[in-house]
Amino acid sequence: MAVWIQAQQLQGDALHQMQSLYGQHFPIEVRHYLSQWIESQLWDAIDLENPQEEFKAKRLLDSLIQELQNKAEHQVGEDGFLLKIKLGHYANHVSSRTFDSTKLLVRCIKHILYTEQRLVREATNSNSPVGGMMDSMSQKYQQINQAFEELRLLTQDTENDLRKLQHNQEYFIIQYQESMRIQAQLASLATLPPADRQLREPALLSKKNTVEAWLTREANTLQKYRLDLAEKHQKTLQLLRKQQTIILDDELIQWKRRQQLAGNGGPPEGGLDILQSWCEKLAETIWQNRQQIRRAEHLRQQLPIPGPIEELLNELNSTITDIISTLVTSTFIIEKQPPQVLKTQTKFAATVRLLVGGKLNVHMNPPQVKATIISEQQAKALLKNENTRNDSSGEILNNNCVMEYHQTTGTLSAHFRNMSLKRIKRSDRRGAESVTEEKFTILFESQFSVGSNELVFQVKTLSLPVVVIVHGSQDNNATATVLWDNAFAEPGRVPFLVPDKVLWPQLCEVINMKYKAEVQSNRGLSEENLVFLAQKAFSSSSNNPDDYRSMTMTWSQFNRESLPGRNFTFWQWFDGVMELTKKHLKPHWNDGAILGFVNKQQAQDMLMSKPNGTFLLRFSDSEIGGITIAWVAENPNKAGERMVWNLMPYTTKDFTIRSLADRISDLNHLLFLYPDRPKDEVFSKYYTPPLSKAVDGYVKPQIKQVVPEFATANPDPASGNPTYMDQGASPAPVIYNIFPADSMLDADGDFDLDDTMDVARHVEELLRRPVESQWSGQQS
């Protein structure tokens, strides 16, 4: 990362130290607008104590003046007008410096850069992995900027050589015309008397021989100049192609990969400003060299001299055209992806951007972009350049948009704000593949010209894979397809191939990233949590994480085959946990109050060593999106014996009625959150405040949770005598049955579905009962 970008993120005293470096001697605006150029220069290579280094210092400052003038010329608008004056004024101020003041300015810039680097290094702690990575990025960015400086110098060198060649060729043509004039004079001597001809002919012949000898010699010199210029252009184009490969195939591809992982909950992909500035520099340098090559070709046509130059120029022209074509087509990108789970008849948005649009003046004739949905097979054919014109797999409304140029940011983009997928045409599915495994993509395409219609480009770009659904119930299976694709797709793949199986640690990284993003928590999945998930995924009982490191999980195991003894897949269970936590349990997960990923036997082992009333919260094994309370208490059937009880799992539906904290507050037999935290210490801040007293004769009812078998005495402030929580304690109570570890279970120790459904129906019946008649007497 560029030092200036990091310096802008400094805070407190470090920020004040950085700001104090600037003033009239070196305005902060110059540092900001020329940040990349300043950091790419070799300031440390100048020895200010050596008088011989005067030339280096002056050349650097001349370049600084040129950059300032270029930057000032491109400022527009009211704010740009003021900045243009300020930058222009400072450029004039620098150009009027003496050598001594030039040395002071170079020393000042060196001091500023050194201090900024020190402040940034201290702030990011270069010993940390993050700091080391930032140092590495800073080094890479510096290499890119140094390459641009080398390209600038090469382009300036060939421009000077081209002007020199043009000047020499113009003089050559003048001399050639002189030779033609002498030839004409010699031819006219034939009409003169012999005496006059003999008198004038020797001088003309001598002059003719002299001019022709010069022309021959100069023709060879011009040919050498042309060949030398062509070789220099070859060197420039080689460096250009190398620089373009670094920016497009490394930096831009990495940005796209970050964008893809951001769809799985990874960190944001970051802005495109630095990439755009690099692409614009490429475009500017390519275009300058292209114009030079065309001028060299014009000079060759103006004065043909036999030799290899014609073939060389054709090759250069072909290469430079190929380079600019690659740049333009590769920088037509999707800045904001459409949703990857796309529901029909639902509005969605996307943004496409041309990173070199402003620099190449494409906005002078704004192009239109069209969006089309195509299938995986159509995407494959498109990348093979097979004829797929007018092929689509559905109809998108509002799928045309004109690119707009935003002058303040210098971006050229098209914002599709109101697209809607009206219909979808599905292909024949393969084997066990479901509709939520079928991948589509949105194709964005446009056409525009560059350089007064010299070059016409047809550009296309494909969105990340999209899964189309028609109902919300398909969402979690579609999300699984997208998650797997985003995580394990390789750059440059054939659409949309992904591995059928991956190592378990790879999948752990993916689901941990997704979990943290969905729950919006810094508390991810611990190693114990991941072992629990591995046990569930592989039907294993091993508690050793190393046993799973070399194991692989197939797509079928992930979201096609149901877990043993269940009617849902591994992903469906995990997604249910995420949804429940995201909607209702986030603060408790962040507080560490929910162990969650613990099976029934583990919960029993953990609780049996704790005092009665100790409880823990774990996600249900048998129900999607369920969480249960397990606690240790006396066995009512055997005096002196203790056992672990499990409350029927709560789901989203339950928590829309009463929150988890309030439900725990209701149950007085729950005393300590495992291992030994008083429950009020953990949950009281989330309790709903007590209801206010009756107003206008009306008493507001409230719902409370009751477990009859564990109803404990509550002091009654009015009577001083204990009362018990039972059905009559609330006008519309929610009563949940409980079951000990050895009841309502099937042979495998899990919920018996029929019994569980009976309980659910019982709860629904209670919820439908009318308010007790005793309440009606209080109402008018």
Side-chain angles (χ1 to χ4, degrees), residues 125-141:
N125 185 5
S126 60
N127 292 325
S128 70
V130 175
M133 183 178 70
M134 294 179 76
D135 284 349
S136 174
M137 290 177 66
S138 179
Q139 186 177 9
K140 186 198 299 183
Y141 284 20

Side-chain angles (χ1 to χ4, degrees), residues 164-230:
K164 182 179 178 182
L165 174 62
Q166 183 176 353
H167 173 76
N168 289 351
Q169 182 167 312
E170 288 170 353
Y171 187 69
F172 180 92
I173 291 171
I174 291 171
Q175 293 303 309
Y176 181 79
Q177 294 296 331
E178 177 66 13
S179 173
M180 292 297 99
R181 190 178 64 79
I182 293 171
Q183 290 277 22
Q185 287 177 343
L186 284 170
S188 68
L189 292 180
T191 62
L192 296 178
D196 289 344
R197 187 168 64 242
Q198 288 176 359
L199 182 66
R200 299 178 59 183
E201 190 173 40
L204 285 173
L205 285 172
S206 175
K207 189 173 183 181
K208 172 178 175 286
N209 291 335
T210 301
V211 171
E212 286 182 349
W214 183 89
L215 288 173
T216 301
R217 191 169 58 252
E218 191 62 19
N220 290 330
T221 302
L222 285 175
Q223 185 74 308
K224 184 177 183 304
Y225 280 171
R226 289 177 176 180
L227 289 172
D228 290 346
L229 180 61

Side-chain angles (χ1 to χ4, degrees), residues 55 121 203 483 528 612 622:
F55 174 73
R121 190 166 53 249
L483 184 81
E528 291 78 11
N612 288 347
S622 59

